[in-house]
Every structure is written in C-alpha cells, then in structure tokens.
C-alpha cells in the first residue's frame, strides 16, 4: 500500500486516532464516516493506493457544488482539532485479498503513528440472536483491550460486547495467526466448503481488520449496529454518535455550534432518493 500525499499537505502527528469503515451490509460504516468527515470539515490530505482494492472514481462527495475534485477508492482526511485521521473506503476488496489488505492498512496506521483504531460496521439483522428494542437501536462492540474482547469504557456506555467473538474458535485463531505473520499448517485451514455457522463473523471484513491492527500493537475498538439493506441513514447517525461517545467529543464541537449536531454530506442528497428529513435529528 502506498500513501500519496496531496500537494502542500501532510499527515498531522497529533492525529493519533484512526476512524474507518469495515465494509458490510447497508454500507453503514461508510455512511457514518461520511458524516464524521463532513461534520468535522476534515481536510483531505491524500489517498491510499492498494492493489487489493477495486478502483473507482467519482465527484467530490463533500463540496457544495461540482468543483472537479475527484473522489477515489481510499482517501485519508485529517481533523487536527480532534486528533483524528479518517479513512474512507468507497469500493470493495478483491475477493480472497481481505487479510492482505487489512495487513497493509495496519502497517500504514502503525507507520503513521496511530495508537487507536476505531472500526465502524453494520451487521446482518437476520443474524441478531437476542433482539431487545426496548431501549432503541443498540450498539455492540469488540475491543482489543482485554483478551475476551471486553472494554470497561464501552461497558460504561451501556454497549454490549459482540457475543459471537470467541478468540479460541478456529477461524479467529486462523486470522490471528495470519495477522502475526506466522505460517498456518494446511491441514488446519478452514476451507470454504467446510465453514460452519461459528465461522461467519470471522469471515467478515471487520474481523481481518481487527486482527491485523491488533497484531501491529494498536488498540482497536469495533462498533456495530444490526441493520438490513435499504435506507440506512438512521443507522449511520447511530454509529457516528457512538464514535463520538468513545472519542469523548460532541458533534456540535466539530464546528462550534452546539445547536447544530451534524453537517450532512452533499452527496447524500440523492443517495436514497429525496433528501432526508433532518428535523428528527
């Protein structure tokens, strides 16, 4: 993976926390990162070129008018005021290359001085085993703070650890072994036609990212919400709010207006048809 800095820009050393999406159902992580970039008015400092990510190009996602600035597959934005770097991923990883991509991204994060990585991802509502909507949409998490994936800060916020995480399960052990650069005996590889129900979550993009960032010595916090395909704007707000809570900042702090919570990306105007009704947020 190569990081190409835009002319006149540079990575800010004080930005020690990295926020990025793990591609998943509903593209919720990407939409949440869109919200954070727009609301912070984060500055694009460059882009990442990785052979494992499919190329794509489009118009600037955050500008009010088409100005000719191109948006690419992987872009890095800095918000020095909040000590954050945000990476937006707009296209999927080549099939079978997720671990390689995750390792390259983790190496970039470690080399650029990141200490904490926050991954935002949706999970398939159809696999939600214990549904309790009495308190509204719930946030689930997975942290590298403790070996069992728990984190005291996340628990204090009322979040629940991802129940399906089991570091002793074969696929999680397989990911950990690959992330640490150790060879895996062929007779212990979980072949695709032998995958069981418990192998589902370790097969998702967040799992490879989590394992590789952890192997590089970074603290990793994954934030999840269960969702379905469709209009996932409300889910994106939920995950963006959760990211703000774990970072200890408020959305209003981004642009100095406590009565204005979010700045909506201009690209959202037609992403799901008519503009969303923002009066409810």
């Amino acid at each position: 993976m190569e990081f190409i800095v835009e002319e006149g820009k540079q990575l800010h050393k004080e930005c020690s926390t990295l926020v990025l999406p793990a591609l998943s159902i509903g593209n919720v992580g990407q939409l949440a990162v869109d919200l954070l970039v727009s609301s912070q008015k984060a500055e694009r400092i460059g882009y990442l070129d990785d052979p494992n990510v499919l190329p794509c190009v489009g118009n600037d996602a955050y500008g009010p008018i088409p100005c000719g600035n191109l948006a690419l597959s992987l872009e890095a934005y800095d918000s020095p005021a909040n000590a954050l770097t945000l990476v937006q991923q707009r296209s999927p990883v080549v099939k079978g290359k997720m671990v390689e991509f995750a390792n390259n991204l983790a190496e970039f994060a470690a080399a650029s001085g990141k200490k904490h990585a926050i991954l935002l991802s949706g999970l398939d509502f159809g696999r939600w085993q214990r549904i309790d909507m009495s308190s509204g949409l719930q946030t689930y998490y997975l942290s590298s703070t403790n070996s069992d994936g728990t984190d005291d800060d996340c628990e204090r916020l009322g979040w629940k650890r991802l129940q399906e995480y089991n570091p002793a399960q074969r696929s999680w052990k397989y990911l950990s072994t690959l992330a640490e650069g150790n060879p895996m005996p062929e007779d212990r590889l979980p072949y695709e036609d032998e995958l069981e129900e418990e192998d589902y979550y370790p097969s998702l993009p967040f799992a490879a990212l989590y394992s590789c960032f952890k192997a590089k010595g970074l603290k990793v916090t994954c934030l999840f919400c269960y969702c379905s395909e469709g209009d996932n704007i409300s889910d994106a707000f939920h995950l963006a709010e959760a990211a703000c809570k774990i970072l200890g900042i408020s959305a209003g702090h981004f642009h100095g207006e406590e009565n204005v919570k979010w700045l909506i990306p201009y690209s959202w105007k037609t992403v799901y048809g008519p503009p969303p009704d923002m009066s409810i947020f």
Side-chain angles (χ1 to χ4, degrees):
M1 177 177 288
E2 182 181 4
F3 176 60
I4 295 89
V5 183
E6 289 199 3
E7 186 176 355
K9 307 289 182 64
Q10 63 178 1
L11 277 169
H12 297 85
K13 294 182 179 180
E14 64 271 28
C15 295
S16 59
T17 299
L18 175 65
V19 179
L20 68 158
L23 271 59
S24 63
I25 187 169
N27 298 319
V28 177
Q30 294 160 291
L31 292 170
V33 170
D34 263 351
L35 265 181
L36 292 168
V37 170
S38 178
S39 297
Q40 294 177 73
K41 298 183 179 178
E43 174 188 39
R44 188 174 73 173
I45 55 171
Y47 61 93
L48 297 155
D49 184 23
D50 191 282
N52 303 299
V53 178
L54 295 175
C56 76
V57 64
N59 197 23
D60 177 22
Y62 307 109
I65 57 175
C67 56
N69 291 331
L70 297 180
L72 303 176
S73 302
L74 282 171
E75 294 182 331
Y77 297 80
D78 267 4
S79 175
N82 296 295
L84 294 179
T85 293
L86 300 105
V87 167
Q88 180 60 291
Q89 181 180 346
R90 296 188 173 92
S91 63
V93 174
V94 176
K95 185 177 180 179
K97 296 293 185 178
M98 187 62 217
V99 173
E100 187 174 339
F101 165 70
N103 185 62
N104 291 345
L105 195 55
E107 287 183 352
F108 158 75
S112 57
K114 308 306 177 191
K115 305 299 182 185
H116 186 190
I118 298 175
L119 308 177
L120 308 179
S121 179
L123 296 175
D124 186 357
F125 189 87
R127 291 180 175 269
W128 199 2
Q129 296 182 3
R130 299 181 182 179
I131 300 177
D132 178 12
M133 296 298 290
S134 59
S135 58
L137 189 60
Q138 297 179 17
T139 302
Y140 287 81
Y141 79 91
L142 177 63
S143 172
S144 64
T145 301
N146 298 311
S147 59
D148 63 353
T150 60
D151 181 275
D152 290 342
D153 291 334
C154 293
E155 292 291 330
R156 278 192 289 269
L157 289 168
W159 300 341
K160 299 179 180 181
R161 194 211 71 166
L162 184 67
Q163 298 170 343
E164 290 78 5
Y165 176 66
N166 178 8
Q169 193 266 341
R170 64 170 186 170
S171 289
W172 283 108
K173 291 175 67 176
Y174 170 66
L175 280 176
S176 179
T177 298
L178 289 183
E180 292 169 0
N182 299 319
M184 173 69 78
E186 289 190 11
D187 60 352
R188 292 174 59 190
L189 296 179
Y191 291 106
E192 188 170 339
D193 59 351
E194 298 176 351
L195 294 180
E196 301 176 359
E197 184 69 18
E198 63 181 7
D199 297 308
Y200 172 73
Y201 284 92
S203 72
L204 298 179
F206 84 84
L209 290 165
Y210 173 82
S211 299
C212 290
F213 278 108
K214 182 180 178 181
K216 290 293 185 293
L218 278 72
K219 177 182 177 180
V220 193
T221 305
C222 301
L223 302 179
F224 311 104
C225 68
Y226 282 89
C227 63
S228 302
E229 293 288 357
D231 186 342
N232 297 109
I233 285 178
S234 60
D235 302 304
F237 277 103
H238 178 80
L239 271 191
E241 290 273 11
C244 288
K245 287 180 180 179
I246 201 68
L247 291 166
I249 56 180
S250 66
H253 175 69
F254 293 153
H255 35 87
E257 299 179 42
E258 291 297 334
N259 61 327
V260 179
K261 295 186 68 175
W262 298 103
L263 295 180
I264 308 305
Y266 284 93
S267 59
W268 282 24
K269 287 188 174 182
T270 56
V271 67
Y272 292 119
D277 179 8
M278 299 312 304
S279 63
I280 62 175
F281 297 106

